[in-house]
Amino acid sequence: MSRYVFGVDIGGTSIKLGLFEESGMLLEKWEIPTRKEENGAYILPDIGNSISAQMKKRTIAKDDIIGVGVGSPGMVNENGIVYSAVNLGWNHVDIPGQLGKMLDGVCVKAENDANVAAYGEMWKGAGAGYKNLVMVTLGTGVGGGIITEGRILRGAGGAGGEIGHIHVEDREEVPCACGSIGCLEQYASAPGIVKIAQKVLENSEKPSSLRAVQTISAKEIFDAVKLGDEAAIEIAEIFGEYLGKGLSIIASIVNPDLFVIGGGVSYAGEILFDFIRPTLTKYTNACNAGIKLQLAQLGNDAGIYGAAGLWLAS
Amino acid sequence: MSRYVFGVDIGGTSIKLGLFEESGMLLEKWEIPTRKEENGAYILPDIGNSISAQMKKRTIAKDDIIGVGVGSPGMVNENGIVYSAVNLGWNHVDIPGQLGKMLDGVCVKAENDANVAAYGEMWKGAGAGYKNLVMVTLGTGVGGGIITEGRILRGAGGAGGEIGHIHVEDREEVPCACGSIGCLEQYASAPGIVKIAQKVLENSEKPSSLRAVQTISAKEIFDAVKLGDEAAIEIAEIFGEYLGKGLSIIASIVNPDLFVIGGGVSYAGEILFDFIRPTLTKYTNACNAGIKLQLAQLGNDAGIYGAAGLWLAS
C-alpha cells in the first residue's frame, strides 16, 4: 500500500500544495489563491478542501496519509500555533488542530515558512547531506531559516532565524521597516541593493551601463559586474561586505556546515559569492573556516518540500 | 535504592567534580588539578580515579550510577569527542569511550564547557523554568552557550555559541586573539573593558577616581559608576553599547527567552544591565521585545551542574 504526505506552503497571494510519496518523490503540485478576507478565515478550509479533492481524485484514503506539513508566515510555536501572521490577518491560529479536524483527524504539523524552506533545502536541495545549515533568502526582505543537527531552530517565540534584522551598520540614518536601524535587510535585500546602487551612481562620475537602466535590479547589477562595469563592481562590493559581515556573525553563533542563498537576488548566480566571501572570511574565526556557500536549488518549491519533509526527512 | 550522577567540569588549571542525587541535589563537590603533561594524557585517568575513589568511599556500585557528564574546553561533537582543546593539549579525544572504559562501562556524555555551563544555568540557575537561553560569560574572553528548546546548540563542528567573535566594530585597528578584528570579545571581556577605560581616561580631562587606581577592573569601574564618576559612566556606556549590540544580534538569530550574564565582569551586578539595555532595545525587533537579562546564579558550579544536567535535566 502506498502512503502519502501533503506539503503546504501558505504565501501572501497563493498557497502551494504538493503531494509526495513516502519515498519523498513529488507526484503533483498545484496552487490555490490565498483568500485573506475576514482575517484569513477561509485559508485553512480552502487548504482542507483542496487536499480532500486531491484525495478523492486519486482515491487516497485517510489512513494512507502519513501526515500534512504546513509552512506559514508569522511566528509559529512548537505546537504549530501561528502568532500574528499580519499579512494573512491571522492571530493565534491553531493549524494542526483546525486543519486536522477538517481532514477528519489526519495528523498535521506546522512551522514558520522560512524555516520550512530551509528544511526543504536540507532535505532535497542545496543542503542535501548536511544537518546544519542556514538558509538566507534575499528578496523583498532578508529572511532566514536555521537548521541545527537536523532540527529547525524555532526559538522561544517562534522568531528564530530572523537574520534580516541583525544590526550591521552603526552609521545608518534611515530606519528599517522593523523599527530598528542598520539592519542587514537594508543592504542585502533586493530593494537594499538597489538603494546602494542609487547612492553609488549619484556619488560617482564613473561611466556605467546602469545609468541607462530605468529600473535597476540585482540581476542587472551583477550582469554589469560580469562585463567589468566599475560602478557595478563597487555596488557589488558594498553589498557583499554587508552580507559577508552578516553571515560571519551568524556563523560564529550557529556554526553551520553551509549557507544556502535563495530569493530573487540569488538569481544573479554564484558571482554573488565572489563578493560575499572576502568579508565572510575576514570576520570568521578558524572554527568556521570551511564554511560553504551554495545557491538554493528548489526555488519556489522549497516550501512544499520542507513541509513534506517535516514528516519524511530524518 | 539511591541513584547518582557525577558532573565533571574540566578547566585549564583544575577539574571540578560533583556528586548529585537523582533528584538533582548536589551531595558533594571537590577539585583535582588538571595535569596537562604529555598532551593531557593524565586528565581522563585522573577523573576516572577520582570518581572511583568517591564511589568506594560512599559504597556506590556501578549500577547505581545513572551516568557521568563532562564539560570540556574545545570543540566537542555530538558523540562527545573533543577536537583541538588547545589548552589541554587534546586533539581528537573520545571522552565517553575512554572515560566509560576506565569506569567499567558507566555511560558518559560530554559537551563543550561553555555550553554545559549554559545548560547548568537552565537547569538549576538563572534560567530555571526556561528552555531558550543564551549564557554570556564575560571573563578573560567572551564565551557563550546557547540552549534552544532545552537542547544545546552544538553546531556542525561543535563551535556553536562562539559569541565572543561576532563582529561588532568596523573601525577597530587592533586584531583580536582569534585572528579576526572588531570582535565582541575585544570590548566586552574583562581586558576589553579595561582597554576602553584606558582610552577614555587618556582622551578626557574629566577628573575620575579611576585615575588613582593602579590596576583597573570591571568591578572598580562599575563601583565608580555607582558614585556618579563621569569618566566611569562613559566607559560603562561604551561597553554597554557594544554588548547591547552583540546581544541584539544574537536575539534576532536565536530568539531566546533570556540572556544569562556570567563571568568576572558580571560581578559588577545588575547595574550592567542599565548600560546594556538601551542598545539592546534600540537594535532589537518586536519579536524580542520582552527579552530578559539575568545575572548567572551558579558561579563556578555552573559546569558541574550542567554536566550532571546532561543526565538529569528535561
Side-chain angles (χ1 to χ4, degrees):
Chain A
M1 192 187 76
S2 299
R3 303 191 73 211
Y4 304 93
V5 166
F6 287 92
V8 182
D9 181 21
I10 306 175
T13 52
S14 73
I15 299 162
K16 296 180 184 64
L17 298 100
L19 173 64
F20 293 78
E21 279 187 341
E22 190 170 6
S23 67
M25 197 173 82
L26 176 62
L27 291 178
E28 185 177 344
K29 60 176 180 174
W30 67 100
E31 292 189 21
I32 59 175
T34 307
R35 290 200 288 155
K36 287 181 281 192
E37 303 90 301
E38 295 181 41
N39 289 325
Y42 303 118
I43 294 173
L44 290 180
D46 285 353
I47 293 170
N49 290 335
S50 188
I51 289 175
S52 297
Q54 181 69 256
M55 287 168 65
K56 200 171 168 190
K57 186 180 104 182
R58 293 188 178 252
T59 60
I60 296 172
K62 196 192 96 181
D63 292 344
D64 301 336
I65 299 177
I66 298 169
V68 175
V70 180
S72 167
M75 297 199 280
V76 186
N77 79 3
E78 70 274 23
N79 299 316
I81 295 169
V82 180
Y83 292 93
S84 76
V86 180
N87 64 336
L88 302 182
W90 280 7
N91 189 24
H92 203 286
V93 172
D94 177 1
I95 295 182
Q98 292 183 38
L99 188 57
K101 202 170 165 188
M102 290 165 197
L103 292 170
D104 197 19
V106 166
C107 291
V108 177
K109 292 180 185 177
E111 296 281 356
N112 168 273
D113 52 0
N115 294 344
V116 161
Y119 204 71
E121 289 287 347
M122 176 193 76
W123 183 42
K124 293 286 184 185
Y130 295 100
K131 294 287 177 195
N132 297 273
L133 67 85
V134 177
M135 178 152 180
V136 181
T137 304
L138 308 173
T140 316
V142 171
I146 300 174
I147 313 291
T148 64
E149 301 195 65
R151 285 185 294 257
I152 288 172
L153 195 167
R154 205 179 279 128
E162 288 289 336
I163 62 177
H165 300 287
I166 61 178
H167 179 82
V168 293
E169 178 54 90
D170 293 342
R171 288 161 297 182
E172 181 60 58
E173 287 169 359
V174 181
C176 179
C178 77
S180 185
I181 194 160
C183 295
L184 179 59
E185 179 164 300
Q186 292 185 272
Y187 316 98
S189 63
I193 189 169
V194 170
K195 262 185 212 157
I196 294 171
Q198 286 163 344
K199 270 196 193 167
V200 167
L201 293 173
E202 270 169 31
N203 297 329
S204 124
E205 300 288 311
K206 287 176 188 162
S208 169
S209 62
L210 296 173
R211 292 189 193 280
V213 179
Q214 284 262 322
T215 318
I216 298 178
S217 72
K219 175 106 180 36
E220 273 135 5
I221 293 165
F222 282 95
D223 283 349
V225 166
K226 287 174 198 161
L227 298 171
D229 187 295
E230 279 184 43
I233 291 171
E234 190 181 335
I235 296 162
E237 283 172 349
I238 296 170
F239 159 86
E241 277 169 28
Y242 281 115
L243 188 51
K245 193 203 292 190
L247 298 190
S248 80
I249 290 170
I250 298 166
S252 293
I253 295 172
V254 178
N255 183 219
D257 291 299
L258 78 163
F259 288 104
V260 176
I261 313 292
V265 175
S266 74
Y267 299 156
E270 291 198 354
I271 191 170
L272 285 173
F273 302 161
D274 298 342
F275 294 89
I276 299 169
R277 180 69 77 180
T279 310
L280 173 57
T281 302
K282 183 176 167 194
Y283 294 144
T284 295
N285 59 13
C287 312
N288 287 297
I291 205 158
K292 292 173 191 67
L293 292 170
Q294 296 272 359
L295 292 175
Q297 292 178 356
L298 301 178
N300 289 331
D301 291 344
I304 55 171
Y305 271 100
L310 297 177
W311 290 100
L312 295 174
S314 86
Chain B
M1 191 188 76
S2 299
R3 301 191 75 212
Y4 304 93
V5 166
F6 287 92
V8 182
D9 181 20
I10 306 176
T13 52
S14 72
I15 299 161
K16 297 179 182 65
L17 297 100
L19 173 64
F20 293 79
E21 279 187 343
E22 191 170 5
S23 67
M25 197 173 82
L26 176 62
L27 292 177
E28 186 177 343
K29 62 177 180 172
W30 67 101
E31 290 188 22
I32 59 175
T34 306
R35 290 199 288 154
K36 287 182 281 193
E37 302 91 300
E38 296 181 39
N39 289 325
Y42 303 118
I43 293 173
L44 289 181
D46 285 353
I47 293 170
N49 290 335
S50 188
I51 289 175
S52 296
Q54 180 69 254
M55 288 167 68
K56 198 170 170 192
K57 187 180 104 182
R58 293 188 178 252
T59 59
I60 296 172
K62 195 191 96 180
D63 292 343
D64 301 336
I65 299 177
I66 297 168
V68 175
V70 180
S72 167
M75 297 199 280
V76 186
N77 79 3
E78 70 273 23
N79 299 316
I81 295 170
V82 180
Y83 292 92
S84 75
V86 180
N87 64 336
L88 303 182
W90 279 8
N91 189 24
H92 202 286
V93 172
D94 177 1
I95 295 182
Q98 292 183 37
L99 187 58
K101 202 169 164 189
M102 290 166 197
L103 293 170
D104 198 18
V106 166
C107 291
V108 177
K109 292 181 185 176
E111 296 281 356
N112 167 273
D113 52 1
N115 294 344
V116 160
Y119 204 71
E121 289 286 346
M122 177 194 76
W123 183 41
K124 293 287 186 184
Y130 294 99
K131 293 288 178 195
N132 297 274
L133 67 86
V134 178
M135 178 151 179
V136 181
T137 304
L138 309 172
T140 316
V142 171
I146 299 173
I147 312 291
T148 65
E149 301 195 67
R151 286 186 293 259
I152 289 172
L153 194 167
R154 206 181 275 128
E162 287 288 336
I163 62 176
H165 300 288
I166 62 178
H167 179 82
V168 293
E169 176 56 87
D170 293 342
R171 289 161 296 183
E172 182 61 58
E173 288 168 356
V174 181
C176 178
C178 77
S180 185
I181 194 160
C183 296
L184 179 59
E185 179 163 303
Q186 292 185 269
Y187 316 98
S189 63
I193 189 169
V194 169
K195 261 185 211 156
I196 295 171
Q198 286 163 345
K199 270 196 193 168
V200 167
L201 293 173
E202 270 169 30
N203 298 330
S204 123
E205 299 289 310
K206 285 175 188 165
S208 170
S209 62
L210 296 172
R211 293 189 192 279
V213 178
Q214 285 263 321
T215 319
I216 297 179
S217 73
K219 175 105 178 42
E220 273 135 4
I221 293 164
F222 283 95
D223 283 349
V225 166
K226 287 174 200 163
L227 297 172
D229 186 296
E230 279 183 44
I233 290 170
E234 190 181 337
I235 297 162
E237 283 172 349
I238 295 171
F239 159 86
E241 277 169 29
Y242 281 116
L243 188 51
K245 193 202 294 187
L247 298 191
S248 80
I249 291 170
I250 299 165
S252 292
I253 296 172
V254 179
N255 183 219
D257 291 299
L258 78 162
F259 288 106
V260 176
I261 313 292
V265 174
S266 74
Y267 299 154
E270 292 197 355
I271 191 170
L272 285 172
F273 302 160
D274 298 342
F275 293 89
I276 299 169
R277 182 68 79 180
T279 310
L280 173 57
T281 302
K282 183 176 167 193
Y283 294 144
T284 296
N285 59 12
C287 311
N288 288 296
I291 206 158
K292 293 173 189 68
L293 293 169
Q294 296 273 358
L295 293 175
Q297 291 179 357
L298 300 178
N300 289 332
D301 291 343
I304 55 171
Y305 271 98
L310 296 177
W311 290 99
L312 296 174
S314 85

